[in-house]
Amino acid sequence: MKIKLPFKYVWTLLLIYSFQLSAENHGPEFEFNGFISAQYHLSDNDAEYNHGEEQGLEATRAGLNARVDINERFRVIGQAFVIKHENDSSAHIDWLYTEFEFSENFDIRVGKITLPIGLASEYQDVSFAYPWLNTPASFYSDAEAPRGPQLARDSYEGASLVWKQNIDDWELSVDLFGGDLDLDQMLSKNVTGFSLEADWEQIYLIELTRYQGTMRQVMIPTDPILAASMEGQQHTAWAAGFQLEQLNWLVMLEKGRVEMSDIPAMTTDTWYVTAGYRVGSLLPHVTFESFRRGRPNWNDQDTLTLGLRWDLMDKVALKFELSQIRLNQGNGLFLTRPDSSKINILGFGVDMVF
Amino acid sequence: MCVGGMSDAAEIAVVVHPENSTLRLAQKDVKRIFLGKKSAYPDRSVAVPVDQKLENQIRDDFYLKVAGKAPPQMQTYRAKMVFSGRAKSLKVLANDDSVKRWVASNKKAIGYIWQESVDESVKVVLTIEL
């Protein structure tokens, strides 16, 4: 992983300071945690959806999370990730950063950090951590341009300042971040943004995030004209989310918008709402997603998903889902236009953490 | 009915090292410490919470009462916190005796045990009635 020069200097200073502090402590503490999500999907259409997870074992994945607490204030945290593809598997580092805690209220992080946009963005590979098999694609898909919403993207390389404060029963936090996003087919340079979070007793959670960056080195083999027009454009994204988790109820609602300055065809509006009610170890839930991209709407799809999470054991969950994608216009999140406007996908999976 | 070997009027004691300057903690502070939302005592010294085994009834009762979360909700919550890098896993101990020994030998530690298990080796900062 490459770290830009200014961040490297900050990182080195923090490291030197931390070693000074570590002399007063008992040395570093190591912790490892892992997750596995084995999934199988069946679709009544052959068109490739999102990342191809509509067929077979494509969304199956595993990861290892490592944390080294060098002392009480300084730590290095990272997550490596392996995902199954059609004929092979690929591994990459999800995120890897150093964190220095100036006080209980103030942290600085430097490295490859998850873009904090979306309630589930920080753990979206860890299926065990949420009710669905995968996070709602209309909002969270990182499918390449021009298909995906270009909202909740890969991790950025840069720095983040996090301020936290408890006020009565609220925990408030502000995350100011900046860096570069290295996407598969393009770069988003000089990304700057903020994320505000208000958490009331882990029952209500409100999140508001906005970031912007400049598109560079855009390569879209299927649409070189679009790629040329995106070069140098300002990419702006914002999202607002609300979560309620009280007694047996779970409600999640998120809305996001993406704009690419002079290209109305890349304007995306997306939202979803999930509601679930826990009955013992069972959590049945329903999700409605909306994805609109372009003006006029030349990509427009809605998705309705009925799902069931069954917490079979303490760290094992089984999941079943039935989704119907209704294509109103364009390809939606499909690679090519399916021969039907209603596509059904059945999925089931086993999630584990250890 | 017995709960984990305790009587109907069972109480859970939240305990710290006897030399810890904290005299009493509010239930919401205990909740924040055990949910990874707070990492210090009121005097700003570091707080290190320890858990009990998943199989122990006291663990389910503690989180249900303090955080309002049932066991599957707590498992999901822990996964979110650990895999987002926001918090580390808690050290897990076998039973009340193990918690008492750990807390008695670690000035930063905070744990929970049945009230009936409390002795002079630890200091109670909160009592939770079930």
Side-chain angles (χ1 to χ4, degrees):
Chain A
M1 186 193 71
K2 290 178 289 185
I3 297 177
K4 305 297 173 199
L5 263 183
F7 304 130
K8 204 181 279 184
Y9 287 132
V10 174
W11 190 88
T12 307
L13 286 170
L14 291 177
L15 195 63
I16 292 167
Y17 184 48
S18 76
F19 280 128
Q20 218 171 346
L21 287 174
S22 70
E24 303 162 10
N25 289 276
H26 303 293
E29 288 178 15
F30 296 86
E31 181 180 311
F32 297 94
N33 293 283
F35 63 88
I36 296 173
S37 180
Q39 302 187 4
Y40 193 84
H41 295 260
L42 289 166
S43 172
D44 60 3
N45 199 288
D46 290 336
E48 183 180 320
Y49 183 64
N50 198 21
H51 287 297
E53 68 265 32
E54 81 293 344
Q55 296 285 1
L57 296 163
E58 287 296 289
T60 293
R61 54 193 185 260
L64 185 67
N65 178 294
R67 175 184 174 116
V68 185
D69 283 272
I70 293 169
N71 56 47
E72 284 164 358
R73 290 187 171 186
F74 188 76
R75 58 194 69 98
V76 180
I77 316 171
Q79 190 161 288
F81 176 69
V82 179
I83 189 161
K84 166 92 177 62
H85 297 301
E86 194 174 356
N87 298 314
D88 60 356
S89 301
S90 69
H92 71 273
I93 291 176
D94 253 3
W95 40 270
L96 176 63
Y97 61 81
T98 55
E99 182 177 56
F100 186 79
E101 199 176 301
F102 283 100
S103 68
E104 201 182 24
N105 303 102
F106 187 51
D107 302 341
I108 181 169
R109 296 181 293 174
V110 181
K112 185 175 182 182
I113 307 166
T114 308
L115 204 54
I117 190 161
L119 295 168
S121 60
E122 290 182 326
Y123 46 84
Q124 69 169 308
D125 295 325
V126 188
S127 188
F128 182 85
Y130 43 75
W132 324 281
L133 273 169
N134 295 295
T135 48
S138 299
F139 187 95
Y140 285 97
S141 170
D142 62 351
E144 295 85 3
R147 197 152 46 113
Q150 316 299 312
L151 182 68
R153 297 182 166 209
D154 209 345
S155 304
Y156 64 94
E157 290 182 11
S160 155
L161 298 173
V162 181
W163 173 82
K164 292 171 284 187
Q165 182 69 51
N166 289 321
I167 299 175
D168 291 333
D169 292 335
W170 287 93
E171 183 188 285
L172 307 175
S173 74
V174 181
D175 181 354
L176 301 176
F177 57 91
D180 294 338
L181 269 166
D182 189 355
L183 306 165
D184 285 344
Q185 297 179 321
M186 62 197 78
L187 299 174
S188 186
K189 300 283 285 181
N190 304 320
V191 172
T192 53
F194 66 85
S195 181
L196 310 175
E197 198 178 278
D199 183 346
W200 189 81
E201 295 291 298
Q202 292 78 53
I203 294 174
Y204 301 108
L205 177 64
I206 300 164
E207 190 183 90
L208 178 66
T209 304
R210 186 186 188 281
Y211 73 84
Q212 58 188 24
T214 307
M215 305 311 297
R216 296 286 182 207
Q217 300 174 32
V218 183
M219 290 177 63
I220 306 175
T222 55
D223 197 340
I225 296 171
L226 177 65
S229 66
M230 284 170 66
E231 188 68 32
Q233 296 284 340
Q234 181 97 330
H235 170 272
T236 307
W238 70 262
F242 168 77
Q243 178 175 302
L244 161 71
E245 194 171 1
Q246 188 174 27
L247 301 174
N248 296 323
W249 283 100
L250 171 68
V251 176
M252 294 174 79
L253 169 65
E254 292 198 81
K255 171 155 180 59
R257 168 167 261 244
V258 175
E259 290 175 349
M260 205 160 292
S261 35
D262 292 336
I263 313 174
M266 291 298 289
T267 298
T268 302
D269 283 296
T270 174
W271 62 272
Y272 76 86
V273 58
T274 292
Y277 186 82
R278 183 173 284 283
V279 184
S281 58
L282 297 176
L283 176 64
H285 54 89
V286 58
T287 298
F288 181 81
E289 302 171 42
S290 169
F291 173 76
R292 309 264 186 281
R293 201 191 62 241
R295 287 178 182 161
N297 288 336
W298 51 273
N299 266 293
D300 182 342
Q301 75 167 51
D302 299 324
T303 308
L304 180 66
T305 300
L306 300 176
L308 178 68
R309 174 187 173 123
W310 177 19
D311 286 279
L312 185 65
M313 297 162 70
D314 289 319
K315 295 186 174 185
V316 180
L318 298 184
K319 291 178 181 172
F320 306 90
E321 275 183 13
L322 177 62
S323 297
Q324 181 172 83
I325 301 164
R326 190 184 292 250
L327 267 178
N328 303 317
Q329 199 172 347
N331 296 353
L333 288 168
F334 288 88
L335 187 60
T336 54
R337 172 85 188 175
D339 53 16
S340 167
S341 60
K342 283 184 189 170
I343 297 93
N344 298 298
I345 300 176
L346 178 67
F348 51 95
V350 184
D351 298 332
M352 280 177 271
V353 291
F354 52 91
Chain B
M1 185 191 77
C2 286
V3 179
M6 298 294 131
S7 66
D8 268 342
E11 288 179 325
I12 294 174
V14 178
V15 295
V16 297
H17 190 278
E19 290 176 20
N20 191 313
S21 68
T22 307
L23 296 175
R24 181 164 175 77
L25 282 174
Q27 189 164 311
K28 70 179 176 187
D29 289 329
V30 169
K31 173 183 176 178
R32 284 178 179 152
I33 289 171
F34 278 87
L35 293 187
K37 295 281 187 177
K38 190 175 171 69
S39 57
Y41 293 106
D43 66 0
R44 300 197 173 185
S45 61
V46 174
V48 180
V50 289
D51 232 337
Q52 293 222 18
K53 272 168 46 177
L54 281 167
E55 299 77 20
N56 295 1
Q57 183 64 43
I58 190 173
R59 178 165 166 157
D60 294 351
D61 291 341
F62 176 73
Y63 285 110
L64 200 56
K65 192 73 182 180
V66 168
K69 292 186 187 296
Q73 291 168 311
M74 270 313 297
Q75 290 298 325
T76 308
Y77 179 82
R78 286 268 181 250
K80 287 180 188 178
M81 295 299 282
V82 168
F83 290 102
S84 64
R86 289 192 179 209
K88 60 197 293 188
S89 302
L90 304 193
K91 184 176 185 64
V92 177
L93 298 171
N95 51 38
D96 283 7
D97 287 340
S98 312
V99 172
K100 279 192 292 182
R101 276 197 300 274
W102 179 260
V103 170
S105 61
N106 188 333
K107 289 183 180 177
K108 299 171 188 169
I110 177 167
Y112 55 88
I113 56 176
W114 293 114
Q115 180 68 38
E116 284 82 348
S117 302
V118 171
D119 60 26
E120 68 283 352
S121 68
V122 292
K123 179 162 81 175
V124 176
V125 288
L126 177 68
T127 304
I128 301 162
E129 247 182 67
L130 296 182

